[in-house]
Amino acid sequence: MALSVGLAFGSLTAASAATVDTVLSLVIDVSGSIDSTEYNLQMKGYEDAFRDSGIQNAITDTSDGRNGSIAVNLIQFGTTASQRIGFTLIDSAAAANAFADLISNVSRFNSNSTGVGEGIELASTTISSWLQNNSAGRAVIDVSGDGTNNAGVSPSVARDAALAADVDAINAIAIQSTTLQAYFDNNVVGGTNSFSLFASDFDAFDSAIKRKLKAEITGTNPIPLPAGAWLLLSGIGGLAALRRRKKA
């Protein structure tokens, strides 16, 4: 596995162990097919999402036994993958705005090819490492991209390994191509309540990523399901509830 770990701004350490509702890894395509304008729109979409009051309210919601907090990091991938922001606790609107500030200051990881699997693999590794000293009700990888894998580990191999480890779900958003969404469904998406979304272009990414993040934070699926699927999901959900994160 080829990877790079960037400066982890705002990271939680073993001395500041946390219990959160969701530990979330943002995995972002910065390959050569994404020009500077598209890159800026993509990153601005994530920044705007964490400044959004609806997202902030979802994070800090303490109803139904929720903790009202998440931990989130940010990974960029091209030929290889790099963690650009380490896991950061968000438990207030102020903390969400501070994380948005971190996103606005991230420098682009320069890499030409598209290693989707490399991004998933690094996200899984960082989540497992974080869970050694912290705990979460749910672990989610959030992938966004505009192209299929052409470098490094296969996305399906990385996905299966992540789901066999500590990750509960891997979701994806395909930009500009419905064919890519089908590719993500077959090779990237997996786990309990997982889903994919489509953004017609980078301008549409802003609203799509807000919808995606809110669903991931609340543990819901934004895609309507056939009526018969609810019975199956209720059984899966009961099994998933038996999983518990261990705090070292």
Side-chain angles (χ1 to χ4, degrees), residues 194-209:
S194 58
F195 61 90
S196 70
L197 293 178
F198 172 67
S200 57
D201 54 31
F202 283 88
D203 289 311
F205 182 81
D206 189 278
S207 59
I209 197 61

Side-chain angles (χ1 to χ4, degrees), residues 62-84:
T62 55
S63 65
D64 300 323
R66 289 174 54 86
N67 292 293
S69 61
I70 67 171
V72 57
N73 75 343
L74 188 147
I75 288 168
Q76 294 180 341
F77 68 88
T79 305
T80 58
S82 173
Q83 180 177 241
R84 312 309 283 172

Side-chain angles (χ1 to χ4, degrees), residues 1 3 23-28 73-75 81-83 87 116-130 139-143 158 162 166-167 170:
M1 175 180 68
L3 59 84
V23 55
L24 175 65
S25 186
L26 308 176
V27 179
I28 303 171
N73 75 343
L74 188 147
I75 288 168
S82 173
Q83 180 177 241
F87 277 110
V116 183
E118 295 292 314
I120 295 170
E121 193 168 54
L122 180 55
S124 178
T125 299
T126 59
I127 285 173
S128 292
S129 178
W130 187 85
V140 178
I141 295 175
D142 171 314
V143 177
D166 293 307
V167 175
I170 304 173

